[in-house]
Amino acid sequence: MARKKVVAGNWKMNLTPSKAESFIGEIKDKINTDAVEVVLCVPYVNLATAQNALKGTKIHVGAQNMHYADEGAYTGEISGKMLAEMKVPYVIIGHSERREYFKESDTEVNIKSLKALKNNLIPIICIGETSKQRNSGRTFDVVRKQLSVALDDMTADDVKKVIIAYEPIWAIGTGVTATKEQAEEVCAAIRKQIEEKLGKSVADSTRILYGGSVTPDNAKELFNMPNIDGGLVGGASLKTSFEQVVRFE
Ligand code: 13P
């Protein structure tokens, strides 16, 4: 079966609840489609607002992070169990900004992803290299290691459910998008690695996204590459022209 494309917006730490409500009001009819799976990953305080604003549409809501514990003395954190009860189906795990500013390790990304799955959430697991790593020819090694740890202890069924987002750090928020060939070769390597671990049918089912300076101008060529199943979109998901990214075909 063909993999359904996914276009996920990552709002990062943007839009207050009132702004979120009015922005969703502006774009929801334009991005409401069956052709791709559309997800808006919003700040925690906007989850309920977004759910209400999106009622009656096919657009999904996602969170941007979660803790690996179900509950406990972790001031300021949110658990997968909480997201599950709120019926938030997706959660970004291990975004490079979390890895860089909040020191999240590959192991933490793995534990969080396993916990997300246990709560029936779909983790959108982010991996990607820095410009220094790319320039020193280490892209494939870095991504391989990140993916290998992230998928540790996952079953074939788990890996069919997860979404992998290849986000080269040098392309995030910089306006320097990976070329479609650069993005494709890494996404193809990611799929190959899944095949080596769990077989071809799992590898053929897992959605692998590209993220990093996706715009209405480059979405089509990127998302139509054979191993790229859509995108994780930052800045461009905060504009009404996000519609054109969603309708990239
Ligand atoms: P930009 O699309 O703003 O480069 O951000 C990409 C990203 O980090 C999505 O998670």
Side-chain angles (χ1 to χ4, degrees):
M1 219 177 78
R3 294 181 296 269
K4 188 164 189 180
K5 302 266 182 188
V6 181
V7 176
N10 175 9
W11 284 9
K12 308 192 180 184
M13 195 175 72
N14 290 292
L15 302 188
T16 60
S18 61
K19 291 261 166 52
E21 189 176 4
S22 58
F23 178 63
I24 288 175
E26 271 180 75
I27 60 163
K28 69 173 180 182
D29 292 339
K30 299 179 195 145
I31 62 170
N32 189 26
T33 171
D34 269 327
V36 300
E37 214 164 291
V38 182
V39 186
L40 298 181
C41 297
V42 305
Y44 294 133
V45 293
N46 292 341
L47 288 171
T49 305
Q51 283 177 321
N52 274 330
L54 291 169
K55 264 199 191 113
T57 73
K58 296 161 191 137
I59 304 156
H60 305 279
V61 173
Q64 299 173 9
N65 179 35
M66 56 170 261
H67 197 272
Y68 51 75
D70 281 338
E71 64 254 314
Y74 300 103
T75 302
E77 291 289 319
I78 299 280
S79 72
K81 192 175 167 186
M82 294 171 181
L83 295 174
E85 188 178 308
M86 280 191 80
K87 300 202 181 330
V88 169
Y90 299 81
V91 57
I92 298 174
I93 302 284
H95 190 281
S96 62
E97 288 148 16
R98 302 274 340 152
R99 294 174 185 259
E100 183 182 354
Y101 306 132
F102 302 94
K103 306 293 169 235
E104 286 189 15
S105 66
D106 289 342
T107 303
E108 222 174 316
V109 170
N110 170 244
I111 297 169
K112 287 183 177 198
S113 301
L114 286 166
K115 191 44 89 71
L117 288 160
K118 199 155 181 238
N119 281 293
N120 289 317
L121 308 174
I122 298 174
I124 302 175
I125 303 172
C126 302
I127 54 179
E129 82 287 359
T130 63
S131 61
K132 194 166 161 216
Q133 289 163 336
R134 174 163 284 265
N135 293 337
S136 58
R138 289 187 288 144
T139 298
F140 290 94
D141 289 345
V142 168
V143 169
R144 188 172 183 85
K145 160 102 190 317
Q146 289 174 336
L147 184 68
S148 163
V149 180
L151 301 187
D152 212 19
D153 287 335
M154 284 190 195
T155 64
D157 277 349
D158 289 337
V159 177
K160 279 185 190 169
K161 284 180 213 152
V162 305
I163 296 174
I164 307 293
Y166 167 56
E167 297 208 306
I169 294 167
W170 48 270
I172 295 178
T174 57
V176 182
T177 317
T179 64
K180 60 183 194 301
E181 293 81 11
Q182 285 173 322
E184 167 65 17
E185 67 173 359
V186 179
C187 291
I190 290 169
R191 198 175 304 288
K192 190 83 202 144
Q193 187 178 342
I194 296 173
E195 182 178 338
E196 285 162 18
K197 181 181 161 79
L198 291 160
K200 190 162 168 21
S201 87
V202 177
D204 284 345
S205 310
T206 308
R207 271 92 60 87
I208 303 173
L209 313 184
Y210 166 78
S213 297
V214 170
T215 66
D217 293 333
N218 58 34
K220 180 175 177 177
E221 59 174 29
L222 285 161
F223 300 173
N224 278 315
M225 295 305 277
N227 284 291
I228 302 180
D229 305 311
L232 184 56
V233 185
S237 74
L238 293 160
K239 298 182 182 155
T240 48
S241 57
F242 183 51
E243 172 205 1
Q244 295 164 41
V245 179
V246 169
R247 299 185 185 278
F248 61 90
E249 282 143 321

